[in-house]
Amino acid sequence: MFSDLDHTLLALLALHPHASGYELHQVIKESTGYMLRASFSQIYPSLNKLHEQGLAEYELEPIKNRPGKKRYSLTDAGRVELQEWLASPVELDSSFESFDLRLAFAPLMPKETLLDLIDAALAWLEQAQSNPRAGGHDPVSFGFLDEEAVDMAKVRLVWESMGAQFAQKLAHRQDWLVDLRTRVEAEF
């Protein structure tokens, strides 16, 4: 079983062949870092795992008076695993982190895979908006609060406002995805 980090590294190697672990760390920080945080202590074991599983290979770049720098590339098996991950169903939740991570690698996807990913998110959003519990957001409930211990007016104001903001966020994401889908259909 491979993690999101493993798959992210495969995707980054497809986009940045012959990258070192250090360079991959920099790319993650600059691109996918808001969706997936990874330290050197996570990246290097993941690269070793990908190498041991035959999904990545490396060449040693000699460095004077130091151990050589490993420059990683995908193997054919790594490319197959990457495409299988890109085409697999994504687990959607209200944070959309897994979706956004997958979407970041749209340049590596065939058009139909990208459209399927967008369609899955749109279906999830429709379900979440028609049934807030399915979207991971329960309607505001105050029954568990000790009404004498808290300022209920403040609770209602803030919590109902947060619920409204969440609904707006979902609606905005849905509008964006509908537009993105239309553009992908027309331009690719």
Side-chain angles (χ1 to χ4, degrees):
M1 183 76 172
F2 296 103
S3 68
D4 280 346
L5 175 58
D6 296 331
H7 287 117
T8 297
L9 291 171
L10 289 175
L12 291 176
L13 287 171
L15 295 169
H16 304 277
H18 310 291
S20 68
Y22 177 83
E23 291 164 344
L24 291 167
H25 180 260
Q26 293 304 110
V27 171
I28 288 172
K29 278 178 34 181
E30 295 170 9
S31 62
T32 60
Y34 73 96
M35 298 169 273
L36 177 78
R37 288 160 200 74
S39 66
F40 290 115
S41 65
Q42 295 167 308
I43 291 171
Y44 287 112
S46 183
L47 287 169
N48 286 334
K49 174 182 169 182
L50 295 173
H51 178 257
E52 289 170 3
Q53 295 290 321
L55 303 179
E57 57 192 7
Y58 64 83
E59 293 180 9
L60 281 177
E61 178 183 305
I63 300 175
K64 188 175 181 176
N65 299 326
R66 292 186 25 210
K69 182 186 291 187
K70 292 179 181 178
R71 296 228 166 250
Y72 290 87
S73 300
L74 287 180
T75 63
D76 289 341
R79 282 185 268 289
V80 168
E81 175 64 29
L82 172 60
Q83 287 304 315
E84 287 176 358
W85 174 66
L86 291 172
S88 69
V90 66
E91 284 191 41
L92 291 161
D93 61 30
S94 60
S95 74
F96 272 85
E97 285 179 356
S98 293
F99 172 84
D100 290 345
L101 182 62
R102 195 80 57 95
L103 189 62
F105 301 114
L108 301 171
M109 294 178 193
K111 177 181 177 178
E112 289 308 313
T113 299
L114 177 55
L115 291 173
D116 289 347
L117 178 65
I118 294 169
D119 288 344
L122 287 169
W124 186 92
L125 283 162
E126 279 186 35
Q127 176 71 18
Q129 289 174 324
S130 66
N131 178 4
R133 287 177 192 241
H137 182 73
D138 287 333
V140 179
S141 172
F142 308 113
F144 66 93
L145 295 174
D146 180 350
E147 294 187 24
E148 293 178 21
V150 296
D151 181 343
M152 290 304 292
K154 192 182 298 179
V155 167
R156 281 187 181 83
L157 173 72
V158 172
W159 288 8
E160 287 175 356
S161 176
M162 289 172 69
Q165 189 276 336
F166 180 77
Q168 288 174 349
K169 182 174 130 181
L170 292 181
H172 178 74
R173 183 171 279 270
Q174 185 174 28
D175 291 344
W176 169 68
L177 286 171
V178 166
D179 179 62
L180 179 61
R181 189 186 200 298
T182 301
R183 292 178 64 197
V184 168
E185 272 286 331
E187 296 177 27
F188 300 103

